Amino acid sequence: MFALADVNSFYASCEAVLNPKLRGKPLIILSNNDGCCVARSAAAKKLGIKMGMPWFQIQQMSFPEKVYAFSSNYSLYHSFSQRVMSHLEELSPRVEQYSVDEMFIDISKIDNCMDFETFGHQLRAHVLKGTGLTIGVGMGPGKVLAKAAQWASKEWPQFKGVLALTPGNPRRTEKLLSLMPVQEVWGCGSRISKKLNLMGIHTALQLARANPTFIRKNFSVVLERICRELNGESCISLEEAPPAKQQIICSRSFGERITTYEAMRQAVCQYAERAAEKLRGEHQYCRHISVFVKTSPFAVNEIYYSNVATEKLTTPTRDTRDIIAAAMKALDRIWDDGRRYAKAGIMLNDFTPNGVSQLDLFDEVQPRPASDALMHVLDGINNSGLGKVWFAGRGIAPEWQMKRDMLSPAYTTRWSDLPVASIR
């Protein structure tokens, strides 16, 4: 048996935990540069605010009560995510963090000492007490059914946030699947759902009753596994150790359009720094460094431009200096004067777990001495919370930095922003 614990309206709930006046209020979180809505509280959903709705459009709408909007505070959300996951791990020996606010839990032997749903309520109470966040818990004999149960636990209030689909109660499972649209099934995106609908498959129960061989022939082995999981057959195992990443991308839309090469060079340098730090966090080295730039496809009277260039290294590296140097070479090949750039980014590919390679006797580029030691010191300073060290190429407080005009305080990562409680 598996359980899936998921925080309700995670980003919005994080904002409300340490700001009591926001609890129960319409609250939305905006994307980078305060562009569009990426998260909503339950009260905001009731007002008809949709995911992806542009902020300027929401501002022009009239609502019966005030709608609170915040810029994305990723450091706050990451902090709360770590707290939630650590609390879940305290009650569960085998876990798999699936996303920033979701975790799969192995509950195979829990029913030897308590009922599954009793354990689910215990999880909810433990996380609520330790973090102030409310989770929904779905349980089933496989990951897909656990995900389905978690969806139902939020969809119908009578379950009080916890629902278990057990092999001993097939009628409950069948009833739920008959009410669940196929697009809500884990792994069935909009494209697959549209094709399934054309075949007359509209609900999760209809997908469960489809012939697995037919599904595999017309779709993929992945959808066949999902089909089998809906029938109670566990096909997707728990991944206690996440697989190594195959690619790292660091990109941002600019707060202001970039028109000069110097500003673009600073932006790419900053993204290269961050990508290199992530690479070292994965304990990997890379050979391919790609840079891409693009203008806005929605700009009026401007010809859209997008391009990418890649540099291949002879020796794998995770040294920020090497990655910045390669990124600058790639940028030089795709930079085009006279354009108003809206976005740029860097991609690292072709990873290897070590920096060893066969060198040529006449290679001009040799590995930097004491590279790993220097990068270790650099990361240590930047992650200590005592200060930051960066390369001069990224500039100081450039105008193109991401807009975050409605950013909430750093409640959990800055002493000066700690909330103050008063007793009356």
Side-chain angles (χ1 to χ4, degrees):
M1 286 284 291
F2 293 91
L4 176 66
D6 176 28
V7 182
N8 298 340
S9 304
F10 179 58
Y11 285 2
S13 296
C14 290
E15 298 287 355
V17 166
L18 297 172
N19 193 345
K21 74 175 184 179
L22 299 176
R23 295 173 189 174
K25 303 293 184 180
L27 170 63
I28 63 172
I29 309 300
L30 302 176
S31 63
N32 293 341
N33 290 308
D34 298 337
C36 60
C37 174
V38 294
R40 308 158 293 163
S41 67
K45 294 176 184 177
K46 292 179 181 178
L47 294 179
I49 299 176
K50 305 295 184 184
M51 286 287 286
M53 187 177 287
W55 171 230
F56 75 87
Q57 184 178 336
I58 297 174
Q59 288 178 296
Q60 296 170 359
M61 300 171 66
S62 59
F63 300 102
E65 56 182 315
K66 180 180 179 180
V67 174
Y68 295 86
F70 290 91
S71 304
S72 299
N73 191 339
Y74 298 116
S75 60
L76 178 69
Y77 310 148
H78 176 69
S79 173
F80 269 104
S81 173
Q82 289 183 314
R83 296 182 184 200
V84 170
M85 300 310 161
S86 65
H87 277 74
L88 291 171
E89 286 181 288
E90 287 173 4
L91 298 183
S92 314
R94 297 184 65 239
V95 298
E96 174 196 338
Q97 184 171 349
Y98 175 61
S99 69
V100 69
D101 66 332
E102 293 178 286
M103 176 173 277
F104 282 107
I105 303 167
D106 184 356
I107 55 171
S108 301
K109 305 298 182 181
I110 293 296
D111 57 332
N112 290 339
C113 55
M114 70 175 72
D115 179 75
F116 285 120
E117 292 189 352
T118 300
F119 178 69
H121 286 291
Q122 191 178 96
L123 281 176
R124 277 170 59 89
H126 187 62
V127 172
L128 180 63
K129 182 179 179 180
T131 67
L133 297 173
T134 303
I135 63 171
V137 183
M139 291 168 268
K143 284 185 174 181
V144 175
L145 281 179
K147 185 77 170 176
Q150 187 273 331
W151 170 82
S153 72
K154 292 184 177 181
E155 196 74 10
W156 290 286
Q158 61 265 34
F159 294 124
K160 298 180 180 180
V162 178
L163 176 62
L165 300 178
T166 60
N169 192 352
R171 293 184 63 183
R172 169 184 265 193
T173 303
E174 186 174 306
K175 178 66 175 178
L176 186 153
L177 296 182
S178 68
L179 298 173
M180 186 179 190
V182 71
Q183 61 265 27
E184 297 291 345
V185 175
W186 185 40
C188 292
S190 58
R191 182 179 60 83
I192 293 176
S193 298
K194 288 177 182 177
K195 188 174 179 180
L196 288 170
N197 291 341
L198 291 174
M199 296 179 173
I201 299 175
H202 300 276
T203 68
L205 182 61
Q206 290 173 326
L207 178 60
R209 290 178 173 173
N211 188 311
T213 305
F214 170 82
I215 293 295
R216 180 171 185 169
K217 181 179 179 181
N218 289 274
F219 293 90
S220 66
V221 66
V222 175
L223 192 60
E224 181 196 3
R225 291 196 189 104
I226 292 172
C227 181
R228 294 185 183 278
E229 285 247 341
L230 289 172
N231 286 285
E233 180 183 346
S234 181
C235 303
I236 308 173
S237 60
L238 198 74
E239 293 183 358
E240 296 182 77
K245 289 183 178 179
Q246 301 299 311
Q247 183 183 67
I248 290 175
I249 300 177
C250 186
S251 67
R252 294 287 187 276
S253 295
F254 303 126
E256 301 288 344
R257 296 289 189 267
I258 282 184
T259 57
T260 65
Y261 173 79
E262 178 61 24
M264 180 63 78
R265 188 184 65 79
Q266 291 179 2
V268 172
C269 180
Q270 180 173 327
Y271 302 156
E273 274 189 352
R274 180 62 184 134
E277 185 177 356
K278 288 183 177 181
L279 183 69
R280 292 191 291 273
E282 293 290 320
H283 306 289
Q284 298 274 21
Y285 294 75
C286 75
R287 289 180 183 272
H288 288 185
I289 294 97
S290 301
V291 172
F292 67 86
V293 296
K294 57 178 67 178
T295 61
S296 172
F298 308 106
V300 180
N301 299 324
E302 290 185 21
I303 299 175
Y304 177 66
Y305 174 75
S306 176
N307 208 343
V308 61
T310 301
E311 289 290 319
K312 183 176 180 180
L313 306 179
T314 55
T315 305
T317 186
R318 59 181 179 185
D319 191 305
T320 302
R321 296 168 294 178
D322 295 332
I323 293 174
I324 290 176
M328 293 303 108
K329 290 181 182 179
L331 176 62
D332 289 341
R333 289 160 45 198
I334 57 177
W335 172 260
D336 189 17
D337 276 323
R339 299 190 182 273
R340 301 174 68 248
Y341 293 92
K343 187 174 184 179
I346 185 168
M347 296 178 287
L348 307 183
N349 295 283
D350 194 6
F351 293 171
T352 177
N354 56 65
V356 178
S357 67
Q358 182 65 45
L359 298 177
D360 191 287
L361 179 63
F362 302 103
D363 276 344
E364 295 181 1
V365 180
Q366 298 293 325
R368 296 179 185 267
S371 171
D372 282 349
L374 177 61
M375 293 300 109
H376 179 73
V377 171
L378 181 67
D379 292 340
I381 295 173
N382 290 338
N383 295 326
S384 67
L386 301 176
K388 291 286 185 181
V389 177
W390 64 87
F391 288 81
R394 62 182 278 185
I396 301 175
E399 296 181 355
W400 47 263
Q401 287 281 31
M402 184 171 61
K403 286 183 179 178
R404 304 171 82 182
D405 296 334
M406 294 167 284
L407 187 66
S408 57
Y411 293 113
T412 61
T413 55
R414 187 181 300 144
W415 287 107
S416 60
D417 287 353
L418 282 174
V420 178
S422 58
I423 301 176
R424 296 180 181 178

